[in-house]
């Protein structure tokens, strides 16, 4: 065991003490980031296909990242926890880690301690924060991955300067987050912003959440790949290009491959992006009618397609927006931080709990110093 990891474990008593107060909801989030300690923290982004961990400094700069595949959803929650612990301890070998932030693809409770439900993982009412803090012995913050991505874009990316922002993340599914005056709106039970599971087509495609016709079944990475594979499997003439690229093996069709072919001008792949872009624009127009933000930030892996996706989304948004022509239109911007946004946001939010640990740890050190001085005086007496 390295000296750094030994240091982390020796700090366990103080860190356990500070966790008595960490469970309280932080209602001062909108200003607290200004006074949070400028220390490195680890952010973890857990999606349907990958787990990404990174050390991030106070300016949002990534110092190091590690990636691994997400354990299959059929495996026990402990397997996912083991993966997270392994990544954090690996990073701790080379960095002084003060706290860990988790951005989880699922519903997180209002206290940001339990993952209530994760469609693409085996988490069901999982006490993730407490289990990880017991094993890592550092403060842990858990939030929805879209919330952490939105926080990162508001702090360091495309949402800087915006008072009211809505984040849409397009990955395996669709995630969402709402920021109002720099405050993440999590709702009474912590599950606000799950836009991907709004029903847009009654009786439509079955969703992993258990319902049919969810928005993410028509505008997400899964939707993109599903449509491409169906066309290729049917040996459609328009799928000639992609079938030739994968040698007829439909299972080799992936989102990045579709994006690559679309950029090369493949007609079917371009059309697929137009389709999911149209659905994206319709959904954004509905959200504008309900929330009226000044800016929509589009992130997630699928957003790497740039204007192949964003342009048709803007067109559909303008055609569908309620009161179009008589109201201001929200800005639609591509996220600037790319696939690392969720990880950066989780790390930055973790700095808020790192502050509590530093205060408790400082008091602990002061007590030890006073105790040492007392012992020194006693030893000096004849």
């Amino acid at each position: 065991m390295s000296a750094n990891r030994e240091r982390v474990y020796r700090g366990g008593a103080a860190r356990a003490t500070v966790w008595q107060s960490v469970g309280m909801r932080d209602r001062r989030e909108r200003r607290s980031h200004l006074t949070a300690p400028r220390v490195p923290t680890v952010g973890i982004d857990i999606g349907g296909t990958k787990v990404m961990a990174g050390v991030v400094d106070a300016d949002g700069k990534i110092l190091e990242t590690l990636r691994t595949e997400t354990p299959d959803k059929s495996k026990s929650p402990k397997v996912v926890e083991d993966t997270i612990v392994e990544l954090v301890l690996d990073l701790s070998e080379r960095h002084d880690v003060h706290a860990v932030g988790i951005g989880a693809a699922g519903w997180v409770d209002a206290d940001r301690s339990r993952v209530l439900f994760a469609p693409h993982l085996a988490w069901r009412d999982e006490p993730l924060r407490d289990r990880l803090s017991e094993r890592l012995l550092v403060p842990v913050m858990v939030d929805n991955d879209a919330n952490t991505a939105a926080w990162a874009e508001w702090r360091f990316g495309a949402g800087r300067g915006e008072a009211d922002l809505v984040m849409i993340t397009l990955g395996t599914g669709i995630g969402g987050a709402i920021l109002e005056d720099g405050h993440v709106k999590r709702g009474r039970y912590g599950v606000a912003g799950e836009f991907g599971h709004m029903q847009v087509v009654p009786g439509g495609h079955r969703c992993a959440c258990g319902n049919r016709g969810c928005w993410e079944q028509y505008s997400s990475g899964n939707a993109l790949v599903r449509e491409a594979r169906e066309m290729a499997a049917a040996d459609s003439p328009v799928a000639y290009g992609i079938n030739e690229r994968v040698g007829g093996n439909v299972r080799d069709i992936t989102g990045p491959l579709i994006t690559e072919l679309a950029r090369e001008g493949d007609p079917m792949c371009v059309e697929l992006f137009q389709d999911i872009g149209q659905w994206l624009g319709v959904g954004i127009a509905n959200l504008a009618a309900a929330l009226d933000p000044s800016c929509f930030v589009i992130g997630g892996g699928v957003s790497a397609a740039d204007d192949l996706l964003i342009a048709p989304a803007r067109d559909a948004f303008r055609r569908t927006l309620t009161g179009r022509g008589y109201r201001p239109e929200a800005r639609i911007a591509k996220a600037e931080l790319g696939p690392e946004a969720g990880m950066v946001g989780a790390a930055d939010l973790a700095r808020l709990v790192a502050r509590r640990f530093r205060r408790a740890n400082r008091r602990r050190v002061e007590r030890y110093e006073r105790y040492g001085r007392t012992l020194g005086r006693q030893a000096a007496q004849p």
Side-chain angles (χ1 to χ4, degrees):
M1 181 180 293
S2 71
N4 185 54
R5 196 174 300 180
E6 289 175 356
R7 177 194 57 74
V8 170
Y9 275 91
R10 286 198 298 269
R15 296 170 195 249
T17 299
V18 79
W19 264 105
Q20 295 176 6
S21 62
V22 170
M24 301 177 62
R25 295 183 68 179
D26 190 352
R27 299 183 182 276
R28 296 171 294 177
E29 184 177 80
R30 67 187 71 191
R31 293 189 182 90
S32 57
H33 70 278
L34 299 175
T35 57
R38 297 183 63 81
V39 295
T41 51
V42 168
I44 308 284
D45 183 20
I46 307 173
T49 58
K50 74 176 186 317
V51 180
M52 181 165 54
V55 180
V56 182
D57 70 12
D59 297 315
K61 180 182 178 182
I62 301 171
L63 305 179
E64 183 182 355
T65 59
L66 298 173
R67 290 176 175 83
T68 188
E69 292 184 357
T70 303
D72 188 88
K73 67 181 297 184
S74 65
K75 296 181 179 178
S76 71
K78 186 178 182 300
V79 176
V80 185
E81 293 171 15
D82 291 342
T83 301
I84 295 170
V85 169
E86 181 179 347
L87 291 173
V88 173
L89 292 181
D90 191 347
L91 292 169
S92 296
E93 296 279 359
R94 296 173 296 282
H95 303 275
D96 186 16
V97 175
H98 290 255
V100 175
I102 309 289
W107 295 356
V108 179
D109 70 356
D111 289 333
R112 285 175 277 174
S113 62
R114 308 177 74 88
V115 180
L116 302 176
F117 174 73
H120 308 291
L121 294 167
W123 287 333
R124 302 294 184 267
D125 197 26
E126 186 68 18
L128 186 63
R129 185 194 68 190
D130 293 343
R131 288 186 174 174
L132 287 176
S133 62
E134 289 173 0
R135 298 181 63 180
L136 294 171
L137 300 177
V138 296
V140 176
M141 184 283 309
V142 179
D143 208 338
N144 173 268
D145 59 346
N147 287 344
T148 63
W151 179 266
E153 291 292 339
W154 177 73
R155 288 270 284 132
F156 310 112
R160 282 172 294 183
E162 297 287 352
D164 298 280
L165 177 149
V166 170
M167 178 89 181
I168 308 293
T169 59
L170 304 179
T172 305
I174 293 181
I178 308 164
L179 268 79
E180 182 180 291
D181 191 23
H183 176 67
V184 179
K185 305 293 287 185
R186 296 182 175 84
R188 174 63 183 84
Y189 304 107
V191 296
E194 288 294 338
F195 309 134
H197 298 288
M198 299 186 302
Q199 189 182 60
V200 296
V201 180
H205 291 296
R206 176 73 71 181
C207 182
C209 75
N211 292 329
R212 287 185 177 274
C214 292
W215 187 24
E216 70 174 41
Q217 293 303 309
Y218 300 88
S219 185
S220 68
N222 272 354
L224 182 70
V225 173
R226 182 193 66 230
E227 295 297 316
R229 287 178 176 178
E230 286 180 0
M231 295 291 282
D235 204 21
S236 169
V238 298
Y240 170 79
I242 200 166
N243 258 332
E244 183 178 44
R245 181 67 66 91
V246 299
N249 188 351
V250 174
R251 302 305 299 177
D252 287 343
I253 296 176
T254 63
L257 175 60
I258 300 169
T259 302
E260 178 186 342
L261 290 173
R263 285 176 173 157
E264 294 173 1
D266 181 89
M268 186 193 79
C269 294
V270 171
E271 184 177 339
L272 289 177
F273 272 108
Q274 290 175 342
D275 288 345
I276 69 169
Q278 293 284 325
W279 277 111
L280 177 61
V282 170
I284 291 175
N286 289 338
L287 292 174
L291 302 174
D292 192 30
S294 60
C295 177
F296 287 94
V297 176
I298 312 301
V302 182
S303 69
D306 299 318
D307 276 348
L308 288 167
L309 172 74
I310 303 296
R314 288 189 178 121
D315 291 341
F317 171 71
R318 295 189 182 103
R319 291 198 310 270
T320 315
L321 181 64
T322 303
R324 52 194 174 275
Y326 296 94
R327 59 177 289 177
E329 289 186 7
R331 180 170 66 97
I332 299 176
K334 182 192 171 186
E336 294 180 1
L337 302 182
E340 288 83 18
M343 179 188 72
V344 170
D348 195 60
L349 285 167
R351 291 172 57 239
L352 306 181
V353 296
R355 172 176 52 199
R356 300 186 183 102
F357 165 71
R358 283 167 63 87
R359 289 174 178 171
N361 194 50
R362 185 169 60 248
R363 289 193 294 269
R364 178 178 65 86
V365 171
E366 290 171 353
R367 287 196 300 270
Y368 284 169
E369 288 176 347
R370 288 196 300 270
Y371 180 65
R373 287 195 295 269
T374 300
L375 290 180
R377 286 195 297 269
Q378 292 174 353
Q381 292 176 357

